[in-house]
Amino acid sequence: MFDTHAHLNATQFEEDREAVIQRALDEGVTHIVVVGFDRETIKGAMQLAEQYDFIYACVGWHPVDAIDMTDEDLDWIEELAAHPKVVALGEMGLDYHWDKSPADIQKEVFRRQIRLAKKVKLPIVIHNREATQDVVDILKEEEAHEVGGIMHCYSGSIEVARQCMDMNFYISFGGPVTFKNAKKVKEVAAEIPMDRLLIETDCPYLSPHPLRGKRNEPSYVKYVAETLSELKDLPLEDIIEKTSDNAFRIFNMKR
């Protein structure tokens, strides 16, 4: 299994990070992309990617903290993009739930990161919270289809998913697709073509059922795969193989 979005660099793993990583391996997780989204977490993602051969890094700037990003930070991200273990830029996007960073600043930081991704030829990982139309509009205006990417922890409509897939984006599902009351997310996941489907944990957040409320970790990505297997009425092995193939493709990695 390929966990395409994890935050093993989070402080929640400080006490037992090695054990968490070993549990992931024991459960059949073969690759993990650790996402860094500010100065500290980017450093942590790079350290883990350099320490473990099966862990890779995604580096970028989170929209909630857009107001903190400097020109130097963007230059640093560009430098890191040349690292052989960096496979994507992000997570980037828009988040209108929190009000730390004004919308206009979020949009500008988002646009600058898309332009950088096109320059360094890396896919982008999108964070979208309560900002769907603006996210889609910016992706179109900045011609993000040139690099494509991932709609991380997707919770939107099938119509928006189709627009994103038309722009060379993959649709990734995490813990919420396993929730018993997540009817809409399940319906959308069932309709996503197999060649655009990805799985993730977003750990330590969004633990899947039946572990909801506990700290999430990469080994729990199996619950997401199992739910997709049920929704698609396909063998679990097919889900695992196809989502892994898709991850290797979008991250431009060799198996």
Side-chain angles (χ1 to χ4, degrees):
M1 291 177 287
F2 196 132
D3 184 356
T4 61
H5 196 112
H7 297 283
L8 286 171
N9 44 353
T11 55
Q12 288 92 327
F13 294 112
E14 276 183 6
E15 300 297 319
D16 61 345
R17 188 172 284 111
E18 285 188 22
V20 168
I21 291 170
Q22 187 58 52
R23 277 197 295 275
L25 292 172
D26 293 344
E27 287 290 345
V29 176
T30 58
H31 296 77
I32 303 169
V33 171
V34 174
V35 179
F37 54 81
D38 60 17
R39 292 176 199 110
E40 286 307 307
T41 58
I42 288 172
K43 289 176 187 172
M46 295 305 300
Q47 287 170 357
L48 287 166
E50 290 178 345
Q51 185 177 354
Y52 296 92
D53 60 357
F54 56 92
I55 292 179
Y56 294 78
C58 169
V59 297
W61 213 265
H62 199 285
V64 170
D65 301 311
I67 198 166
D68 298 327
M69 194 191 82
T70 65
D71 291 345
E72 289 75 23
D73 291 321
L74 198 64
D75 289 343
W76 180 42
I77 291 168
E78 181 173 355
E79 287 174 23
L80 292 176
H83 193 289
K85 295 296 289 288
V86 171
V87 294
L89 296 193
E91 59 190 277
M92 66 179 76
L94 301 173
D95 189 318
Y96 294 167
H97 183 77
W98 306 106
D99 60 3
K100 177 184 174 184
S101 295
D104 59 336
I105 292 176
Q106 289 192 39
K107 289 176 182 177
E108 181 58 26
V109 167
F110 186 19
R111 290 181 187 277
R112 293 181 73 188
Q113 290 186 88
I114 295 172
R115 291 166 192 166
L116 174 57
K118 290 164 68 176
K119 179 180 178 182
V120 299
K121 295 181 171 54
L122 283 177
I124 56 178
V125 175
I126 302 301
H127 172 102
N128 166 32
R129 191 168 186 188
E130 300 171 17
T132 300
Q133 193 57 54
D134 285 352
V135 166
V136 171
D137 288 347
I138 288 174
L139 290 175
K140 288 178 179 176
E141 290 163 12
E142 295 294 336
E143 299 183 330
H145 67 273
E146 291 182 18
V147 289
I150 298 170
M151 305 308 290
H152 139 66
C153 205
Y154 191 75
S155 62
S157 68
I158 187 62
E159 291 77 17
V160 169
R162 289 188 182 116
Q163 290 183 63
C164 295
M165 289 187 287
D166 285 344
M167 290 188 283
N168 195 25
F169 279 78
Y170 290 69
I171 311 298
S172 184
F173 293 94
V177 78
T178 71
F179 298 169
K180 290 186 174 181
N181 61 348
K183 185 182 176 193
K184 177 186 167 187
V185 179
K186 291 177 187 290
E187 288 174 352
V188 172
E191 288 200 50
I192 300 298
M194 284 291 287
D195 64 352
R196 288 305 178 98
L197 197 63
L198 295 171
I199 56 176
E200 63 169 271
T201 57
D202 198 22
C203 66
Y205 319 107
L206 299 174
S207 280
H209 174 80
L211 300 160
R212 201 170 174 180
K214 298 182 179 179
R215 182 191 69 175
N216 200 2
E217 60 178 71
S219 64
Y220 299 165
V221 77
K222 66 181 178 183
Y223 295 105
V224 179
E226 287 168 358
T227 296
L228 292 175
S229 170
E230 294 166 12
L231 293 171
K232 296 279 192 184
D233 194 23
L234 288 170
L236 178 60
E237 294 74 21
D238 289 4
I239 297 293
I240 292 170
E241 182 177 1
K242 196 62 183 173
T243 54
S244 295
D245 285 346
N246 294 341
F248 284 112
R249 191 181 312 117
I250 188 57
F251 291 130
N252 196 29
M253 289 165 52
K254 293 177 182 174
R255 291 202 81 145

